[in-house]
PDB file of all heavy atoms in Angstrom:
ATOM      1  N   SER D 215      54.659 -46.086  -6.403  1.00 42.00           N
ATOM      2  CA  SER D 215      53.647 -45.382  -5.635  1.00 42.00           C
ATOM      3  C   SER D 215      52.756 -46.375  -4.897  1.00 42.00           C
ATOM      4  O   SER D 215      52.060 -47.164  -5.540  1.00 42.00           O
ATOM      5  CB  SER D 215      52.799 -44.544  -6.588  1.00 42.00           C
ATOM      6  OG  SER D 215      51.667 -44.071  -5.917  1.00 42.00           O
ATOM      7  N   GLY D 217      49.805 -48.122  -3.373  1.00 40.00           N
ATOM      8  CA  GLY D 217      48.360 -47.988  -3.473  1.00 40.00           C
ATOM      9  C   GLY D 217      47.875 -47.549  -4.833  1.00 40.00           C
ATOM     10  O   GLY D 217      46.672 -47.498  -5.065  1.00 40.00           O
ATOM     11  N   ALA D 218      48.795 -47.209  -5.742  1.00 42.00           N
ATOM     12  CA  ALA D 218      48.333 -46.851  -7.080  1.00 42.00           C
ATOM     13  C   ALA D 218      47.583 -48.036  -7.658  1.00 42.00           C
ATOM     14  O   ALA D 218      48.018 -49.172  -7.540  1.00 42.00           O
ATOM     15  CB  ALA D 218      49.509 -46.489  -7.960  1.00 42.00           C
ATOM     16  N   GLY D 219      46.502 -47.776  -8.293  1.00 41.00           N
ATOM     17  CA  GLY D 219      45.715 -48.873  -8.840  1.00 41.00           C
ATOM     18  C   GLY D 219      44.702 -49.402  -7.871  1.00 41.00           C
ATOM     19  O   GLY D 219      44.091 -50.426  -8.093  1.00 41.00           O
ATOM     20  N   ALA D 220      44.526 -48.685  -6.784  1.00 38.00           N
ATOM     21  CA  ALA D 220      43.610 -49.202  -5.776  1.00 38.00           C
ATOM     22  C   ALA D 220      42.171 -48.732  -5.951  1.00 38.00           C
ATOM     23  O   ALA D 220      41.297 -49.159  -5.240  1.00 38.00           O
ATOM     24  CB  ALA D 220      44.093 -48.814  -4.393  1.00 38.00           C
ATOM     25  N   ASN D 221      41.980 -47.828  -6.872  1.00 37.00           N
ATOM     26  CA  ASN D 221      40.630 -47.267  -6.976  1.00 37.00           C
ATOM     27  C   ASN D 221      39.753 -48.090  -7.913  1.00 37.00           C
ATOM     28  O   ASN D 221      39.460 -47.691  -9.019  1.00 37.00           O
ATOM     29  CB  ASN D 221      40.720 -45.817  -7.471  1.00 37.00           C
ATOM     30  CG  ASN D 221      39.367 -45.143  -7.453  1.00 37.00           C
ATOM     31  OD1 ASN D 221      38.481 -45.568  -6.735  1.00 37.00           O
ATOM     32  ND2 ASN D 221      39.220 -44.106  -8.252  1.00 37.00           N
ATOM     33  N   TRP D 222      39.367 -49.245  -7.452  1.00 35.00           N
ATOM     34  CA  TRP D 222      38.462 -50.030  -8.286  1.00 35.00           C
ATOM     35  C   TRP D 222      37.177 -50.315  -7.533  1.00 35.00           C
ATOM     36  O   TRP D 222      36.534 -51.311  -7.720  1.00 35.00           O
ATOM     37  CB  TRP D 222      39.086 -51.328  -8.812  1.00 35.00           C
ATOM     38  CG  TRP D 222      40.321 -51.782  -8.136  1.00 35.00           C
ATOM     39  CD1 TRP D 222      41.567 -51.321  -8.330  1.00 35.00           C
ATOM     40  CD2 TRP D 222      40.420 -52.805  -7.140  1.00 35.00           C
ATOM     41  NE1 TRP D 222      42.461 -51.981  -7.535  1.00 35.00           N
ATOM     42  CE2 TRP D 222      41.778 -52.909  -6.794  1.00 35.00           C
ATOM     43  CE3 TRP D 222      39.512 -53.640  -6.518  1.00 35.00           C
ATOM     44  CZ2 TRP D 222      42.241 -53.791  -5.860  1.00 35.00           C
ATOM     45  CZ3 TRP D 222      39.982 -54.540  -5.590  1.00 35.00           C
ATOM     46  CH2 TRP D 222      41.331 -54.599  -5.267  1.00 35.00           C
ATOM     47  N   ASP D 235      42.704 -53.497   0.635  1.00 49.00           N
ATOM     48  CA  ASP D 235      43.661 -52.616  -0.013  1.00 49.00           C
ATOM     49  C   ASP D 235      43.540 -51.192   0.514  1.00 49.00           C
ATOM     50  O   ASP D 235      44.536 -50.515   0.789  1.00 49.00           O
ATOM     51  CB  ASP D 235      43.414 -52.651  -1.521  1.00 49.00           C
ATOM     52  CG  ASP D 235      44.532 -51.975  -2.278  1.00 49.00           C
ATOM     53  OD1 ASP D 235      45.682 -52.409  -2.124  1.00 49.00           O
ATOM     54  OD2 ASP D 235      44.262 -51.003  -2.987  1.00 49.00           O
ATOM     55  N   HIS D 241      44.449 -44.878   0.805  1.00 38.00           N
ATOM     56  CA  HIS D 241      43.970 -43.896  -0.164  1.00 38.00           C
ATOM     57  C   HIS D 241      43.398 -44.596  -1.385  1.00 38.00           C
ATOM     58  O   HIS D 241      43.539 -45.807  -1.538  1.00 38.00           O
ATOM     59  CB  HIS D 241      45.092 -42.955  -0.596  1.00 38.00           C
ATOM     60  CG  HIS D 241      46.162 -43.673  -1.361  1.00 38.00           C
ATOM     61  ND1 HIS D 241      46.129 -43.796  -2.706  1.00 38.00           N
ATOM     62  CD2 HIS D 241      47.265 -44.334  -0.937  1.00 38.00           C
ATOM     63  CE1 HIS D 241      47.193 -44.484  -3.089  1.00 38.00           C
ATOM     64  NE2 HIS D 241      47.888 -44.820  -2.044  1.00 38.00           N
ATOM     65  N   THR D 243      43.809 -43.634  -5.069  1.00 40.00           N
ATOM     66  CA  THR D 243      44.208 -42.928  -6.281  1.00 40.00           C
ATOM     67  C   THR D 243      43.627 -43.633  -7.494  1.00 40.00           C
ATOM     68  O   THR D 243      43.473 -44.854  -7.510  1.00 40.00           O
ATOM     69  CB  THR D 243      45.733 -42.886  -6.423  1.00 40.00           C
ATOM     70  OG1 THR D 243      46.212 -44.199  -6.265  1.00 40.00           O
ATOM     71  CG2 THR D 243      46.340 -41.959  -5.403  1.00 40.00           C
ATOM     72  N   SER D 244      43.361 -42.894  -8.508  1.00 42.00           N
ATOM     73  CA  SER D 244      42.807 -43.503  -9.718  1.00 42.00           C
ATOM     74  C   SER D 244      43.907 -44.200 -10.502  1.00 42.00           C
ATOM     75  O   SER D 244      45.071 -43.836 -10.431  1.00 42.00           O
ATOM     76  CB  SER D 244      42.137 -42.443 -10.583  1.00 42.00           C
ATOM     77  OG  SER D 244      43.103 -41.498 -10.964  1.00 42.00           O
ATOM     78  N   SER D 245      43.545 -45.179 -11.252  1.00 46.00           N
ATOM     79  CA  SER D 245      44.551 -45.949 -11.969  1.00 46.00           C
ATOM     80  C   SER D 245      43.920 -46.659 -13.158  1.00 46.00           C
ATOM     81  O   SER D 245      42.771 -47.086 -13.079  1.00 46.00           O
ATOM     82  CB  SER D 245      45.157 -46.998 -11.029  1.00 46.00           C
ATOM     83  OG  SER D 245      45.818 -47.965 -11.773  1.00 46.00           O
ATOM     84  N   PRO D 246      44.687 -46.788 -14.239  1.00 39.00           N
ATOM     85  CA  PRO D 246      44.151 -47.552 -15.358  1.00 39.00           C
ATOM     86  C   PRO D 246      44.149 -49.060 -15.088  1.00 39.00           C
ATOM     87  O   PRO D 246      43.611 -49.827 -15.858  1.00 39.00           O
ATOM     88  CB  PRO D 246      45.108 -47.223 -16.506  1.00 39.00           C
ATOM     89  CG  PRO D 246      46.376 -46.853 -15.833  1.00 39.00           C
ATOM     90  CD  PRO D 246      46.003 -46.213 -14.542  1.00 39.00           C
ATOM     91  N   TYR D 247      44.767 -49.450 -14.018  1.00 42.00           N
ATOM     92  CA  TYR D 247      44.854 -50.897 -13.718  1.00 42.00           C
ATOM     93  C   TYR D 247      43.930 -51.266 -12.577  1.00 42.00           C
ATOM     94  O   TYR D 247      44.218 -52.089 -11.739  1.00 42.00           O
ATOM     95  CB  TYR D 247      46.282 -51.277 -13.365  1.00 42.00           C
ATOM     96  CG  TYR D 247      47.313 -50.628 -14.244  1.00 42.00           C
ATOM     97  CD1 TYR D 247      48.195 -49.698 -13.723  1.00 42.00           C
ATOM     98  CD2 TYR D 247      47.366 -50.937 -15.592  1.00 42.00           C
ATOM     99  CE1 TYR D 247      49.131 -49.090 -14.542  1.00 42.00           C
ATOM    100  CE2 TYR D 247      48.301 -50.325 -16.410  1.00 42.00           C
ATOM    101  CZ  TYR D 247      49.175 -49.393 -15.882  1.00 42.00           C
ATOM    102  OH  TYR D 247      50.083 -48.794 -16.690  1.00 42.00           O
ATOM    103  N   GLY D 248      42.830 -50.580 -12.529  1.00 48.00           N
ATOM    104  CA  GLY D 248      41.966 -50.719 -11.355  1.00 48.00           C
ATOM    105  C   GLY D 248      41.238 -52.022 -11.201  1.00 48.00           C
ATOM    106  O   GLY D 248      40.623 -52.260 -10.167  1.00 48.00           O
ATOM    107  N   THR D 249      41.269 -52.872 -12.152  1.00 67.00           N
ATOM    108  CA  THR D 249      40.476 -54.108 -12.020  1.00 67.00           C
ATOM    109  C   THR D 249      41.364 -55.343 -11.952  1.00 67.00           C
ATOM    110  O   THR D 249      41.088 -56.368 -12.568  1.00 67.00           O
ATOM    111  CB  THR D 249      39.510 -54.242 -13.202  1.00 67.00           C
ATOM    112  OG1 THR D 249      40.252 -54.192 -14.400  1.00 67.00           O
ATOM    113  CG2 THR D 249      38.478 -53.134 -13.185  1.00 67.00           C
ATOM    114  N   CYS D 250      42.432 -55.210 -11.190  1.00 77.00           N
ATOM    115  CA  CYS D 250      43.390 -56.335 -11.133  1.00 77.00           C
ATOM    116  C   CYS D 250      42.743 -57.641 -10.679  1.00 77.00           C
ATOM    117  O   CYS D 250      43.017 -58.707 -11.242  1.00 77.00           O
ATOM    118  CB  CYS D 250      44.540 -56.000 -10.187  1.00 77.00           C
ATOM    119  SG  CYS D 250      45.770 -54.935 -10.940  1.00 77.00           S
ATOM    120  N   CYS D 300      51.602 -53.784 -13.284  1.00 72.00           N
ATOM    121  CA  CYS D 300      50.821 -53.095 -12.259  1.00 72.00           C
ATOM    122  C   CYS D 300      51.731 -52.369 -11.268  1.00 72.00           C
ATOM    123  O   CYS D 300      52.635 -52.979 -10.702  1.00 72.00           O
ATOM    124  CB  CYS D 300      49.948 -54.110 -11.522  1.00 72.00           C
ATOM    125  SG  CYS D 300      48.955 -53.338 -10.249  1.00 72.00           S
ATOM    126  N   PRO D 301      51.498 -51.090 -11.039  1.00 67.00           N
ATOM    127  CA  PRO D 301      52.335 -50.340 -10.105  1.00 67.00           C
ATOM    128  C   PRO D 301      51.812 -50.346  -8.671  1.00 67.00           C
ATOM    129  O   PRO D 301      52.291 -49.594  -7.841  1.00 67.00           O
ATOM    130  CB  PRO D 301      52.284 -48.928 -10.696  1.00 67.00           C
ATOM    131  CG  PRO D 301      50.898 -48.827 -11.246  1.00 67.00           C
ATOM    132  CD  PRO D 301      50.516 -50.195 -11.704  1.00 67.00           C
ATOM    133  N   GLY D 302      50.833 -51.171  -8.396  1.00 66.00           N
ATOM    134  CA  GLY D 302      50.207 -51.158  -7.079  1.00 66.00           C
ATOM    135  C   GLY D 302      51.188 -51.491  -5.964  1.00 66.00           C
ATOM    136  O   GLY D 302      52.244 -52.094  -6.192  1.00 66.00           O
ATOM    137  N   HIS D 306      47.857 -53.922  -2.353  1.00 73.00           N
ATOM    138  CA  HIS D 306      47.189 -54.192  -3.619  1.00 73.00           C
ATOM    139  C   HIS D 306      47.661 -55.520  -4.212  1.00 73.00           C
ATOM    140  O   HIS D 306      46.852 -56.331  -4.672  1.00 73.00           O
ATOM    141  CB  HIS D 306      47.482 -53.047  -4.596  1.00 73.00           C
ATOM    142  CG  HIS D 306      46.919 -53.288  -5.954  1.00 73.00           C
ATOM    143  ND1 HIS D 306      45.584 -53.074  -6.247  1.00 73.00           N
ATOM    144  CD2 HIS D 306      47.480 -53.773  -7.087  1.00 73.00           C
ATOM    145  CE1 HIS D 306      45.381 -53.395  -7.512  1.00 73.00           C
ATOM    146  NE2 HIS D 306      46.515 -53.826  -8.040  1.00 73.00           N
TER     147      HIS D 306
END
Side-chain angles (χ1 to χ4, degrees):
Chain D
S215 168
N221 186 22
W222 16 281
D235 191 58
H241 66 91
T243 51
S244 61
S245 163
Y247 318 114
T249 56
C250 281
C300 180
H306 176 80

